[in-house]
Amino acid sequence: MMQKDKDIKVKEPDLTRAARLSVAPMMDWTDRHCRFLHRLLSKETLLYTEMVTSPALVRGRAFHLLAHRDEEQPVALQLGGSDPVELAEAARIGAEAGYAEINLNVGCPSDRVQSGTFGAVLMRQPELVAACCAAMQAAVTVPVTVKCRIGVDDQEPREVLPAFLETVSSAGVRRFSIHARKAWLKGLSPKENRDIPPLDYPLVYDMKQTFPHLHLSLNGGVGTLSQAQTHLDMGMDGVMIGRAAYHQPWDILGAADALVFGGQPPFADPIEAVEAMLPYIEEHLGAGGKLGQISKHMLGLFAGQPGARLWRRVLSEGAHLEGAGGALIKEALDVVRGAREGASEAQR
């Protein structure tokens, strides 16, 4: 289990500010390598882990799932579970590992999650969610938050969501991220549940009016920073972006510090960000890791720019080969530079 050095003083993050923009927890995507890249691109945005189940930590002692670096802060741990005692212990373990926030998943619709009685199915049991959150809060000093849907199956969101927020906030939760879609637990795959159920942004806006004391972030269907700003202008406290932040990290995170937080972006060009990743890549390779474990998260860095397709091809075809490392990254960068020069020449 990763322990923080007690002699190192880590500045406490301003999570309320950071939650103005966050990257959604995404299974198989927002691992520690992805988060390191995202943090390079944005110093401000709140990051989340993939969902980690409380049984995996408490019963399975899978502490390797908590691996992260202080440089990732502010970063939150998302837990999945439905047993208050077990979740409290998992939250304690996560907080001791150094996570700045513990988030409970009440939104994932996968069959595996349903069979464990957690995720979106918990929208049907707000009292249990409240009990889980109360137990977690009693075990940790960091904030406990919830990511939820607007309802599941045949529930009426305009009845279910306000009742859910009222019940769970009565347990002391003050920050929620709301995916503005229902989840259909039967009949739709997790992928389909991210696209097919219609978005209901007005309902989420109404929840902010109904619960002005709560910090509410809107999630679902947000693909650009311009769209995120629209939701903020409508009164939302924060916006959570998922797939767009992963597939177009430069467009979203590379511009976030300036456009969302009013600060200075860390880099002026994605090439600079790639070069800043090289020491991290070499460290990972030196510890026995593989290039592909990192480079897969970098494929979208040049999305929409000259050389984007070639960048993806060089990395996709070469990262799995024996001995692949920083030299392949530099080769891919040279291809991007060449494509840029060609595009510039064509415009003259």
Side-chain angles (χ1 to χ4, degrees):
M1 177 174 165
M2 185 173 182
Q3 296 286 346
K4 293 169 67 67
D5 188 333
K6 295 181 179 179
D7 295 329
I8 297 176
K9 299 295 184 182
V10 179
K11 182 181 178 181
E12 292 295 325
D14 183 348
L15 293 176
T16 300
R17 171 182 168 83
R20 185 169 172 82
L21 182 71
S22 56
V23 177
M26 293 175 281
M27 292 300 293
D28 299 322
W29 288 6
T30 52
D31 64 18
R32 60 192 177 96
H33 305 307
C34 174
R35 297 192 307 265
F36 189 87
L37 170 65
H38 286 182
R39 179 56 68 222
L40 277 182
L41 297 174
S42 171
K43 300 302 181 186
E44 302 276 5
T45 302
L46 179 59
L47 304 180
Y48 283 83
T49 67
E50 304 169 86
M51 182 186 68
V52 178
T53 67
S54 55
L57 292 180
V58 177
R59 293 180 236 164
R61 316 304 282 177
F63 299 137
H64 65 279
L65 298 175
L66 300 178
H68 70 289
R69 298 163 69 117
D70 284 334
E71 295 97 316
E72 296 173 32
Q73 296 290 356
V75 59
L77 169 67
Q78 186 182 68
L79 292 177
S82 60
D83 179 87
V85 174
E86 191 169 67
L87 276 168
E89 176 63 10
R92 184 193 65 76
I93 293 170
E96 284 190 356
Y99 285 95
E101 171 191 324
I102 308 297
N103 178 266
L104 180 62
N105 183 320
V106 190
C108 181
S110 76
D111 291 340
R112 183 175 68 85
V113 167
Q114 290 181 55
S115 66
T117 320
F118 55 93
V121 71
L122 288 176
M123 292 298 299
R124 295 188 179 280
Q125 302 181 68
E127 293 82 7
L128 176 57
V129 175
C132 290
C133 291
M136 293 160 72
Q137 289 179 116
V140 302
T141 58
V142 300
V144 172
T145 66
V146 169
K147 185 175 188 296
C148 65
R149 292 273 183 150
I150 61 173
V152 296
D153 295 337
D154 57 357
Q155 288 182 326
E156 172 47 58
R158 289 197 168 270
E159 297 175 2
V160 169
L161 185 57
F164 178 88
L165 293 176
E166 183 172 2
T167 299
V168 179
S169 65
S170 70
V173 177
R174 289 294 174 265
R175 186 147 46 84
F176 294 81
S177 297
I178 304 172
H179 189 148
R181 285 187 175 95
K182 269 189 181 184
W184 288 94
L185 302 180
K186 301 296 182 184
L188 292 181
S189 69
K191 182 179 185 299
E192 291 170 330
N193 263 302
R194 292 193 294 268
D195 296 303
I196 293 178
L199 289 159
D200 192 346
Y201 293 148
L203 172 59
V204 183
Y205 297 157
D206 288 348
M207 292 304 96
K208 182 56 194 175
Q209 295 296 316
T210 304
F211 301 96
H213 61 292
L214 298 180
H215 186 292
L216 301 183
S217 290
L218 180 146
N219 173 231
V222 184
T224 67
L225 285 185
S226 177
Q227 292 172 359
Q229 190 60 55
T230 296
H231 295 306
L232 294 171
D233 291 343
M234 291 297 294
M236 297 308 301
D237 299 301
V239 176
M240 175 178 278
I241 301 181
R243 286 166 287 171
Y246 186 86
H247 291 303
Q248 300 129 45
W250 178 253
D251 292 342
I252 304 295
L253 297 171
D257 288 5
L259 299 183
V260 176
F261 297 97
Q264 183 69 29
F267 304 106
D269 189 293
I271 287 179
E272 296 176 2
V274 174
E275 291 172 338
M277 281 292 292
L278 289 173
Y280 179 81
I281 290 171
E282 294 301 335
E283 179 183 334
H284 177 66
L285 296 176
K290 302 296 184 182
L291 177 62
Q293 294 169 316
I294 298 176
S295 63
K296 66 180 181 179
H297 303 303
M298 302 170 65
L299 296 178
L301 270 170
F302 297 95
Q305 298 186 27
R309 181 176 57 83
L310 294 173
W311 162 263
R312 292 193 301 270
R313 177 187 295 174
V314 171
L315 294 186
S316 298
E317 293 179 354
H320 69 282
L321 300 178
E322 189 68 29
L328 182 70
I329 301 293
K330 293 174 183 177
E331 176 188 339
L333 280 182
D334 287 341
V335 169
V336 170
R337 291 189 180 99
R340 286 183 173 185
E341 291 173 4
S344 180
E345 288 289 338
Q347 291 175 354
R348 292 177 185 172

